[in-house]
Each structure stands twice: as structure tokens, then as C-alpha cells.
Amino acid sequence: MTTQNEAQAGTQSRWQFDPYHTQVEFAAKHLGMMTVRGNFPELTAAGYIDPDHPEASSVEVTIQTASLRTHNPQRDNDLRSSNFLEVDKYPTITFKSTRVEQTGQDRYALTGDLTIKGNTRPVTLAVVKYGEFNDPMMGHRIGYSAETQINRKDFGLTFNMMLDGKWIVSNEVEIFIEGEFVEQK
């Protein structure tokens, strides 16, 4: 197995997410009925990618928690408060990959450490490579999607209330990411 440093000296290149072509979204159930969706528009992501040897690749993501948006300002403020993300105390959510495994044609399992509110847990994202393109303006780019599900309580997001026998917020939170990485020269 190639070490990360050996791989970086090989055919890997440094890549960054194109901020104009990146989406980090989440979804949770409200009262067990409606799905509430939101996103984090302010993030940075970079990594070393070897398209010929994906298992040698790595990625790091930093999300600004205060950028959270759900299309409801009152709910956004509640999610930013001490009830949930505590953005004043924990201004970022981070992910740092630890392993990439190919699971099929253009499909991968990306495992890494996710940190929310100071709680770090391993998570695995199902990744799909959409394709590559040599953009005459921006250079070589690769598009990916990734998704996973977490239990919010594992990350210190424990606040909940019951109304008429139903929990306000589900424990399960779906995470969806789409983005284009651009090769850095």
C-alpha cells in the first residue's frame, strides 16, 4: 500500500472545490412527516487526487456553521443556537478523509473523521464520480457526489421536544454533497 506522502510525490495533484459548483445539503424529518432541507453555502474543500489511483487520494473540508440556510430565518437561528450547532462556540464543521476504497466503476467509499460541536466520529460516504472535463477557462475538473447518514446525537446535537407523541426533529440526518474539484497548477 502506498503511503500518502509517497502518493503525493507520484501522480497526485492538489485539487480545490469550485465554490460556484459545490453544494453541501442536509435533510431531517420534522415531526416524522415533512423533510426539512438545508445547506451550508460557505465551505472550503481541498485534497490530493490521483484519478488513476483513487485509493491514494485524500480530502479535507471545512464548513462555516453560521452559513446554514433552510429557507426559514427563525428555524435557521434556532439551528445556529445552543439548542443545536452553537455556532458562536463551534464556528466550523470539519471532515478529514482517512481512507478511499473503490466499490465499483466510478464508485467509492470515502471514510473519514467528521467533527461537529467538538465531537469527532468516523463516517463513510458513498461517492460517485460524475466525470472529468478539461475546462478551457478553469482547467481540469472532476465532478463528484457523496452521501451518508449520521445520527445527530453522536455529534452532541441532542436537543429535542415531543409534541403530541412525535419528536420535533429526527435523529437521522441525511447529508448530500455535489461538487467539482479543479486541479491546481
Side-chain angles (χ1 to χ4, degrees):
M1 184 170 175
T2 305
T3 68
Q4 187 167 335
N5 288 339
E6 288 171 332
Q8 288 173 5
T11 59
Q12 277 191 338
S13 297
R14 180 85 173 148
W15 297 72
Q16 285 189 294
F17 259 143
D18 176 347
Y20 302 109
H21 296 97
T22 298
Q23 300 170 6
V24 174
E25 301 172 328
F26 62 91
K29 289 288 187 191
H30 177 254
L31 297 172
M33 299 183 300
M34 183 194 151
T35 302
V36 173
R37 291 175 171 79
N39 64 37
F40 292 97
E42 295 177 22
L43 68 126
T44 57
Y48 290 95
I49 299 175
D50 183 343
D52 297 324
H53 302 96
E55 68 281 355
S57 301
S58 64
V59 65
E60 292 187 28
V61 180
T62 301
I63 297 169
Q64 302 302 316
T65 54
S67 73
L68 175 139
R69 303 285 183 275
T70 66
H71 306 293
N72 180 312
Q74 183 177 350
R75 179 174 49 226
D76 294 353
N77 287 335
D78 188 39
L79 291 171
R80 290 180 190 121
S81 77
S82 61
N83 287 341
F84 292 98
L85 290 173
E86 292 185 78
V87 301
D88 292 339
K89 188 174 179 181
Y90 303 100
T92 61
I93 293 171
T94 61
F95 175 82
K96 183 176 182 177
S97 70
T98 56
R99 183 175 65 235
V100 179
E101 297 175 84
Q102 189 156 7
T103 58
Q105 180 67 32
D106 293 331
R107 297 185 183 280
Y108 310 91
L110 175 65
T111 301
D113 294 325
L114 178 64
T115 303
I116 302 173
K117 285 184 71 170
N119 298 284
T120 302
R121 300 282 185 275
V123 298
T124 299
L125 294 101
V127 176
V128 176
K129 178 181 172 185
Y130 287 153
E132 294 185 51
F133 182 74
N134 284 311
D135 182 337
M137 300 292 286
M138 297 289 293
H140 187 194
R141 59 179 58 229
I142 302 176
Y144 292 98
S145 71
E147 60 182 73
T148 194
Q149 178 178 299
I150 63 168
N151 183 320
R152 65 186 180 86
K153 289 184 174 184
D154 291 343
F155 296 93
L157 303 167
T158 58
F159 175 82
N160 213 346
M161 290 176 41
M162 192 171 273
L163 289 178
D164 198 25
K166 294 186 180 262
W167 290 109
I168 292 179
V169 181
S170 64
N171 290 332
E172 297 77 26
V173 177
E174 300 284 335
I175 299 172
F176 309 97
I177 303 163
E178 282 193 326
E180 295 178 8
F181 274 102
V182 179
E183 187 173 17
Q184 305 299 295
K185 298 292 182 187

